[in-house]
């Protein structure tokens, strides 16, 4: 009778946490999108899905603008560029039928929240395989309260949002010895990204060293490692040179000798210099320690003493610690989510061996840890999702009230409606997602692209949200520079007569190629322009 009651209470707690996570996550992320705070990556993935739906698989002019041909060689973006040379993500095709029913950027937002929520329910089933309902429920609630789960969920759509569901499902299949499902999910994991084999390798390594399933574990390690090597050295280079000329150098360039490197070159650079390896692992020391504490916090630091957590999560952590760049150790962005499955599985196994530690005093400590994790998450304002509650800067003050932002959105939409669905367009970052369901789109200041006829053409429309940049430029240098550069570009286009100003409302300007500017609209633009003249003079000194 007591066990039945515990099951009911545990399930109610988990379902309550899952529903709360799903509803709040959906409300916040959809609000983020519809209030124009979703940014460039949301546009990339939506354009990829849109092109997939039209039979042009994984093509994207937006993704092309980030390719090495554009960034390093100065070429213009291609509409027929296949993103598979940057990130190999065939698992996205699993969700194409859903997108076919609802072909909108917001669909991807709903999909992401759904995937992450469903992963928590699978985690509960995995925890129940070893633990009593109250403890399994606590672990699941910790998942929904983790900064490494909430932060990446309250963001643009990203492929890593599939990892927790697939990883927890694979671990549950292993525990149930459902090997057909295990291998199916292993394939799905590899299909998420070119580097998701690192997470799968960690599971295979655990299966070997724990002696539970050494042969299967060896096969998993061989499959994941071999797949990554073949994919990054033989298959992805067929699409573009991005993996060797851009991504390997940007993330692991300290191990390379030249301006480009393959994954084999990077691996050799790591193993051939063990002292540099040790230095990279622990530097920057306090940032690394802070990152680990943030990962452990919602689980009351149990993963820190769980050998299994270190074994399974160790390889994704190793990839992050050996890389370069501040974003790799940012705990609220997508990369942090790759570590989550290993830490939670390690916590489950630790508790299965130490059930008596689940005492009232520790439960209270655990609840405090969960509350602190939630506090840190929301005060961090991940991806500016809570911009309407939390100022982006105190000194100088930067805060956009909810009513003011939605007033701005209403005026901006009237200009967006003037752009035909199939017209080519260049837009600023936060407008890009809303126009990304088309063949020809680039991000301002780019104005050209190569179309399907292999001809370089100028876009038909230019739309820029200068008001948004104006609000943030007082505290953020990058936004200030973007505002200065975009206004200068608009001045050049207007003075040369290449584009006419056909719309201007609330700091948002719409230009159309080859037409005459509307006088009253131009007057409104010039009035706004005078407000920015002190900033434009700063640009001259910057140059």
């Amino acid at each position: 009778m007591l066990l039945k009651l515990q099951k009911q209470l545990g399930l109610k707690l988990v379902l309550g946490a899952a529903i709360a996570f799903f509803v709040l996550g959906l409300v916040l992320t959809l609000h983020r999108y519809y209030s124009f705070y979703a940014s460039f990556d949301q546009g990339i993935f939506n354009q990829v899905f849109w092109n997939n739906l039209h039979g042009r698989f994984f093509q994207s002019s937006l993704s092309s603008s980030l390719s090495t041909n554009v960034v390093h060689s100065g070429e213009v973006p291609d509409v027929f560029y296949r993103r598979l040379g940057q990130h190999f993500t065939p698992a996205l095709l699993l969700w194409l039928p859903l997108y076919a029913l609802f072909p909108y950027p917001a669909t991807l937002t709903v999909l992401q929240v759904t995937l992450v929520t469903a992963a928590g329910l699978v985690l509960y089933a995995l925890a129940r395989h070893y633990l009593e309902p109250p403890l399994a429920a606590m672990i699941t609630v910790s998942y929904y309260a983790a900064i490494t789960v909430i932060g990446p969920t309250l963001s643009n759509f990203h492929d890593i949002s599939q990892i927790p569901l697939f990883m927890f499902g694979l671990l549950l299949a292993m525990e149930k010895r459902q090997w057909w499902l295990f291998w199916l999910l292993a394939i799905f994991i590899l299909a998420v990204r070119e580097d998701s084999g690192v997470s799968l390798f960690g599971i295979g390594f655990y299966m070997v060293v724990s002696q539970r399933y050494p042969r299967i574990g060896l096969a998993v390690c061989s499959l994941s490692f071999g797949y990554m090597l073949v994919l990054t050295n033989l298959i992805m280079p067929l699409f573009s040179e991005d993996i060797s000329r851009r991504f390997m150098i940007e993330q692991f360039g300290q191990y390379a000798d030249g301006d480009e490197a393959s994954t084999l070159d990077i691996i050799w650079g790591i193993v051939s210099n063990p002292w540099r390896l040790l230095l990279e692992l622990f530097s920057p020391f306090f940032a690394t320690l802070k990152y680990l504490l943030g990962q452990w916090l919602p689980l009351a630091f149990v993963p820190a003493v769980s050998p299994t957590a270190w074994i399974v999560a160790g390889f994704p952590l190793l990839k992050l610690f050996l890389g370069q760049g501040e974003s790799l150790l940012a705990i609220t962005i997508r990369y942090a989510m790759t570590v989550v499955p290993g830490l939670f599985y390690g916590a489950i196994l630790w508790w299965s061996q130490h059930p008596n530690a689940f005492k009232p005093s520790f439960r209270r400590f655990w609840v405090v840890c969960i509350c602190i994790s939630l506090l840190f998450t929301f005060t961090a304002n991940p991806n500016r999702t809570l911009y309407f509650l939390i100022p982006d800067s105190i000194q100088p003050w930067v805060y956009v009230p909810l009513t003011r932002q939605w007033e701005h959105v209403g005026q901006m939409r009237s200009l967006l409606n003037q752009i035909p669905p199939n017209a080519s367009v260049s837009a600023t970052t936060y407008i890009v997602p809303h126009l990304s369901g088309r063949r020809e789109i680039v991000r301002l200041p780019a104005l050209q692209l190569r179309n399907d006829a292999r001809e370089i053409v100028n876009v038909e429309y230019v739309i820029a949200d200068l008001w948004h940049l104006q609000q943030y430029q007082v505290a953020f240098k990058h936004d200030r520079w973007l505002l200065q550069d975009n206004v200068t570009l608009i001045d050049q286009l207007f003075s040369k007569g290449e584009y006419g100003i056909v719309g201007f409302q609330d700091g948002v300007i719409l230009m159309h190629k080859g037409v005459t500017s509307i006088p009253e609209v131009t007057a409104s633009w010039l009035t706004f322009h005078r407000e920015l003249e002190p900033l434009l003079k700063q640009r001259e000194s910057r140059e």
Side-chain angles (χ1 to χ4, degrees), residues 71-378:
V71 174
H72 297 133
S73 301
E75 299 181 12
V76 299
D78 302 327
V79 298
F80 46 85
Y81 171 87
R82 295 190 190 274
R83 188 173 179 268
L84 297 174
Q86 291 182 17
H87 295 296
F88 200 81
T89 57
L92 296 179
L93 295 175
L94 293 171
W95 319 113
L96 189 57
L98 174 66
Y99 187 83
L101 293 174
F102 308 99
Y104 313 107
T107 300
L108 304 185
T109 298
V110 176
L111 173 61
Q112 178 157 285
V113 176
T114 303
L115 288 171
V116 179
T117 304
L121 299 178
V122 178
L123 170 63
Y124 179 69
L126 177 62
R128 282 289 291 118
H129 184 78
Y130 282 99
L131 307 174
E132 294 300 319
L135 192 46
M138 279 292 287
I139 287 176
T140 309
V141 171
S142 299
Y143 167 83
Y144 287 124
I147 189 171
T148 51
V149 174
I150 299 175
T153 303
L154 301 181
S155 69
N156 299 319
F157 178 83
H158 56 89
D159 37 29
I160 296 176
S161 62
Q162 304 165 96
I163 286 291
L165 178 61
F166 293 163
M167 288 282 286
F168 288 141
L170 180 136
L171 289 166
L172 182 59
M174 179 188 74
E175 298 295 351
K176 300 291 187 180
R177 299 187 183 186
Q178 299 287 332
W179 298 115
W180 68 270
L181 181 58
F182 177 91
W183 288 112
L184 178 63
L185 289 170
I187 294 171
F188 284 175
I189 290 169
L190 292 176
V192 169
R193 278 170 61 106
E194 69 283 353
D195 56 358
S196 55
V198 174
S199 298
L200 186 62
F201 187 91
I203 293 178
F205 188 72
Y206 162 75
M207 297 171 79
V208 172
V209 299
S210 66
Q211 291 296 302
R212 293 184 62 187
Y213 307 103
R215 292 184 179 178
I216 297 177
L218 186 60
V220 170
C221 290
S222 301
L223 172 65
S224 56
F225 187 69
Y227 175 81
M228 287 188 293
L229 287 183
V230 171
L231 181 63
T232 56
N233 288 279
L234 297 178
I235 298 177
M236 292 178 68
L238 296 176
F239 297 99
S240 69
E241 297 179 331
D242 290 297
I243 191 71
S244 60
R245 290 188 60 194
R246 188 181 157 217
F247 290 97
M248 285 294 106
I249 296 300
E250 288 179 0
Q251 294 189 15
F252 303 102
Q254 69 271 38
Y255 308 108
D257 294 327
D259 295 332
E260 59 181 284
S262 66
T263 49
L264 288 172
D265 295 327
I266 298 300
I267 292 172
W268 174 248
I270 292 173
V271 300
S272 63
N273 194 332
W275 292 112
R276 182 171 56 187
L277 168 63
L278 290 174
L279 180 64
E280 291 288 342
L281 273 178
F282 297 103
S283 62
F285 177 77
F286 289 107
T288 302
L289 179 60
K290 179 182 176 182
Y291 183 84
L292 288 172
L293 292 175
Q295 288 275 8
W296 297 333
L297 176 62
L299 287 166
F301 304 101
V302 165
V305 295
S306 169
T308 302
W310 285 105
I311 291 171
V312 179
F315 289 95
L317 279 172
L318 185 67
K319 176 182 176 292
L320 294 175
F321 291 165
L322 292 181
Q324 60 184 356
E326 296 180 1
S327 63
L328 294 177
L329 292 182
I331 204 163
T332 60
I333 66 173
R334 60 190 182 276
Y335 303 116
M337 197 173 266
T338 62
V339 183
V340 167
L343 295 183
F344 277 80
Y345 183 63
I348 290 170
L349 294 192
W350 188 90
W351 279 111
S352 70
Q353 298 164 4
H354 305 85
N356 293 331
F358 194 55
K359 299 177 180 179
S361 58
F362 193 87
R363 294 179 199 177
R364 289 192 291 271
F365 172 69
W366 197 345
V367 170
V368 170
C369 288
I370 290 174
C371 292
I372 293 174
S373 178
L374 288 171
L375 178 65
F376 285 169
T377 300
F378 290 107

Side-chain angles (χ1 to χ4, degrees), residues 528-541:
F528 179 79
H529 190 283
R530 283 192 287 272
E531 298 177 19
L532 302 178
E533 286 179 358
L535 279 175
L536 300 179
K537 292 179 180 178
Q538 292 178 21
R539 183 182 188 272
E540 295 174 0
S541 61

